[in-house]
Amino acid sequence: MIKKFNYYQPTRIIFGVGRRKELGIWAKRFGKKVLVVVDPNVKKFLSQQYQEMLDTLKSEGIETVVFDHVIPNPTLDSIQEGAEIAKREKVEFVIGIGGGSAIDTAKAIAVAATHEGTAWDYLYFKKEPTEKTLPIIGVPTTAGTGTQTSRVSVLTNTEEKCKSAIASDNIICKVAIVDPELTLTVPPAVTASTGFDVFTHCFESYINVNNQPYVDVLALEAIKVVIEYLKKAYDNPKDLEARTKMAWADTLAGCCLANVGTTIPHALGQAIGGHFPHVSHGQSLAVVYPAFLDYTVEWAIERFAKVARMFNPELEKVSDKEAAYALKQEIVSFLKSINLYYTMEDFGIKKEDVKDLVRHAIEFPDNRVNPRVPDEKDLEELYLKSFRD
Ligand code: NAD
């Protein structure tokens, strides 16, 4: 029997090498004046490609206002700064060019520029942004967050030391221009942490209690691609085939996020990111993954076994239970192969910090859709097991 499911994905996906040159053509339907929210490193490392995109906008008669104060793990302050510019300049839509941080900044600006209060007032558990939200185009330059196809924008309130998210169909990108050439300049460490993020979106959607057949197909395809191509992209940043495959996996992963979503690691990881902004999103996930796998395996044997066998076909020869329990070692080896295997000490996090992290992590609904639902004590243990000793 195929179980009941809902699936919604309204983004027009423009995928393929060189497609950035079509930005103007796809943008013109949204108006004559745009706020381009761009990562400063994109301006620096992809200056020619960035200029090409601006030129396509110009050639379609679109006036551009540029906001480049994007910071990794975007803060409310930078979003509000961008929103003020969007309001003052009366832009009709926004384009985010960069990694998750730039596109999420663009999404949050699209909300803050059109609604009362600040973007922080529209977190998923507060008020939902309305259809007044400015149209958003996402042009990813990392293969990681899937934000070009997800319904989420992650932001950090530095005063509250809290990382949280807006989640709404009204912030889904109208158009995603996914041009793998834009990821060729991503340095290996960022390739590793963003690429592992792709895996986590798919794996957690696949084992999520709300898993569903449509997303299963996308998740398993993307997991297969990450296993085969992430290390290649890490070892050889200019490998266009590997970059293209990772951009594909990333885009599928965003659809998984939009329609099922993540579990415990994202609750634990977002709390780490809120308290320790120097830890990248992918690193914050990698550090808690081994403990999370131990904690969950017995509650999801079949699905863990399926993924373990994708890492290591030899596990076809053993029982589901044995294969499921082998997944942790497969993932640890994978993390080590891309230099992403950490313990909490590596980030300067101390055991005394754990209570604060738990207080934050327990708030996330991600916990309640894990096959085994944790309480505060469990989350504390998961953090403590992520230390070296
Ligand atoms: P990022 O956007 O912060 O970029 C990481 C680093 O790579 C930055 O220093 C950036 O300047 C640089 N960079 C980006 N593209 C580059 C390129 N082509 N060449 C050279 N350098 C480049 O990283 P990210 O992992 O893509 O995004 C992380 C953010 O996204 C976090 O805030 C995370 O919580 C959030 N996130 C959002 C979603 C979602 O659905 N909205 C999902 C997961 C994570």
Side-chain angles (χ1 to χ4, degrees), residues 10-32:
T11 305
R12 187 183 295 275
I13 299 169
I14 310 298
F15 185 95
V17 172
R19 304 292 308 263
R20 65 181 178 278
K21 293 173 190 155
E22 294 173 41
L23 179 58
I25 294 169
W26 295 105
K28 67 181 175 200
R29 66 190 62 195
F30 302 109
K32 285 278 173 213

Side-chain angles (χ1 to χ4, degrees), residues 53-73:
M53 289 189 267
L54 293 183
D55 290 346
T56 70
L57 294 170
K58 197 171 170 198
S59 70
E60 296 297 337
I62 300 166
E63 189 185 341
T64 53
V65 179
V66 173
F67 175 69
D68 62 4
H69 292 179
V70 171
I71 38 175
N73 295 327

Side-chain angles (χ1 to χ4, degrees), residues 39 41-42 45-46 72-74 99-102 104 107 141-142 145-147 150 152-154 163 182-183 185-187 190 194 197 201 257 270 281:
D39 185 297
N41 279 330
V42 167
F45 296 114
L46 291 167
N73 295 327
S101 296
D104 282 5
K107 287 176 164 182
T141 65
T142 61
T145 67
T147 184
S150 85
V152 171
S153 163
V154 181
K163 194 171 180 187
L182 298 176
T183 64
T185 48
V186 178
V190 178
T194 50
D197 196 16
H201 296 154
L257 270 185
Q270 301 280 46
H281 179 62

Side-chain angles (χ1 to χ4, degrees), residues 209-226:
V209 294
N210 296 325
N211 66 67
Q212 46 113 314
Y214 198 129
V215 165
D216 284 355
V217 172
L218 308 184
L220 291 175
E221 165 66 9
I223 288 171
K224 190 174 83 182
V225 171
V226 173

Side-chain angles (χ1 to χ4, degrees), residues 100-281:
S101 296
I103 298 176
D104 282 5
T105 301
K107 287 176 164 182
I109 288 174
V111 172
T114 44
H115 292 75
E116 293 285 305
T118 72
W120 201 249
D121 297 322
Y122 296 87
L123 297 181
Y124 65 91
F125 55 91
K126 294 181 175 175
K127 269 183 283 186
E128 185 166 0
T130 67
E131 287 173 0
K132 282 190 306 187
T133 304
L134 295 175
I136 304 149
I137 296 180
V139 186
T141 65
T142 61
T145 67
T147 184
Q148 68 274 22
T149 46
S150 85
R151 60 196 293 283
V152 171
S153 163
V154 181
L155 50 156
T156 298
N157 184 325
T158 38
E159 259 172 50
E160 295 184 17
K161 283 196 176 175
C162 183
K163 194 171 180 187
S164 191
I166 305 171
S168 165
D169 288 350
N170 291 321
I171 61 163
I172 298 179
C173 291
K174 298 276 188 251
V175 177
I177 307 262
V178 187
D179 182 344
E181 269 181 348
L182 298 176
T183 64
L184 290 173
T185 48
V186 178
V190 178
T191 301
S193 70
T194 50
F196 184 64
D197 196 16
V198 175
F199 173 81
T200 67
H201 296 154
C202 298
F203 182 69
E204 290 164 42
S205 294
Y206 183 64
I207 57 120
N208 191 304
V209 294
N210 296 325
N211 66 67
Q212 46 113 314
Y214 198 129
V215 165
D216 284 355
V217 172
L218 308 184
L220 291 175
E221 165 66 9
I223 288 171
K224 190 174 83 182
V225 171
V226 173
I227 292 171
E228 192 172 347
Y229 289 98
L230 175 54
K231 172 107 170 78
K232 288 184 181 161
Y234 174 78
D235 286 341
N236 179 8
K238 299 290 178 210
D239 181 339
L240 186 57
E241 191 198 358
R243 293 297 196 181
T244 304
K245 294 284 189 175
M246 285 305 298
W248 161 236
D250 175 37
T251 302
L252 294 179
C255 300
C256 297
L257 270 185
N259 287 283
V260 180
T262 52
T263 75
I264 293 177
H266 274 73
L268 297 173
Q270 301 280 46
I272 292 175
H275 288 254
F276 301 95
H278 65 284
V279 184
S280 77
H281 179 62

